[in-house]
Amino acid sequence: MQVRPISPDNLAELLADRISALPDARGRRLRVAVDGAPAARPGALADALVEPLRLRGHPTLRVSADGFLRPASIRLEYGHQDADAFHDLWLDDGALAREVLDPLEPGGSGRVLPSLRDPATDRSTRAPYTELPPGGVLLLDGALLLGRWLPLELTVHLALGPAALARRTPADQQWTLPAFARYEAETGPAATADVTVRVDDPRHPALVERP
């Protein structure tokens, strides 16, 4: 395994090329996930892919997994700072598959619900359905996405070492660190993802190249 430094702009271009080269990229809808702890800023990388993909002829749709969290009554059943509940219960992966990923299967409707619930208010966002045309790319960002059997054509994991993760996680979110340690131990996201990028220093990402 080798680790190659890469600029943020070149990383976005490389990933856009990788997505555009996926089988039947022009004829079907592609589902791409950028996975990482909030401190790794997976949403920023997903946003950075929008324009390079547009230039390659792919319309995009941005969806955040934070819009598909379970109701607070379930998320917080074991308290506001339970790391195991954060790992196991917070993401409504069934709703994410049903409303976002499954409609993008070959022969699917292409109609996607961009968000289901506002995590701050715990109320429905009432977002309208959006249709992604064939050749389009769904860009999903979020934490703890891998190992859930979500149907995805490409997965990108933004990896942080334990010290960098602790340093870059705000004080009021430090309670989530055991959940990410468990994710590393049980899921092994760096080995599970199609592409892994080390982002201990967000200004200087490094692409992990497997033999």
Side-chain angles (χ1 to χ4, degrees):
M1 182 180 69
Q2 294 183 330
V3 179
R4 174 168 63 90
I6 187 170
S7 73
D9 288 344
N10 285 342
L11 175 62
E13 294 292 333
L14 181 148
L15 290 174
D17 283 341
R18 177 80 177 262
I19 294 165
S20 193
L22 288 169
D24 199 22
R26 299 291 174 183
R28 63 169 299 182
R29 303 171 179 96
L30 301 174
R31 298 160 293 188
V32 175
V34 182
D35 169 73
R41 302 182 65 221
L45 178 56
D47 288 342
L49 290 172
V50 171
E51 182 63 11
L53 285 169
R54 185 190 69 80
L55 293 175
R56 288 161 175 78
H58 299 285
T60 59
L61 177 62
R62 283 283 291 110
V63 172
S64 174
D66 283 348
F68 288 86
L69 301 184
R70 288 191 169 93
S73 60
I74 297 175
R75 298 198 316 271
L76 308 180
E77 181 179 359
Y78 300 99
H80 284 73
Q81 296 187 353
D82 188 286
D84 285 329
F86 178 69
H87 182 284
D88 295 336
L89 299 177
W90 278 43
L91 180 65
D92 191 344
D93 42 9
L96 183 61
R98 182 180 67 250
E99 300 290 357
V100 179
L101 302 175
D102 291 347
L104 304 182
E105 291 279 359
S109 68
R111 295 182 71 247
V112 170
L113 186 67
S115 63
L116 179 63
R117 182 174 290 105
D118 184 329
T121 65
D122 200 37
R123 296 179 178 178
S124 169
T125 61
R126 301 187 182 277
Y129 281 88
T130 301
E131 185 165 346
L132 184 66
V137 178
L138 169 77
L139 295 168
L140 170 69
D141 75 272
L144 309 172
L145 294 178
L146 304 181
R148 296 177 179 270
W149 302 102
L150 296 173
L152 298 160
E153 278 67 57
L154 186 75
T155 55
V156 180
H157 174 63
L158 301 183
L160 285 165
L165 176 60
R167 184 175 64 252
R168 294 174 54 194
T169 298
D172 64 348
Q173 297 297 313
Q174 290 279 313
W175 64 270
T176 65
L177 295 179
F180 290 109
R182 181 180 162 196
Y183 186 53
E184 289 289 334
E186 296 182 4
T187 301
T192 302
D194 298 307
V195 180
T196 297
V197 183
R198 295 207 61 86
V199 290
D200 290 337
D201 183 342
R203 300 166 300 175
H204 304 288
L207 185 67
V208 178
E209 297 180 325
R210 304 185 182 102

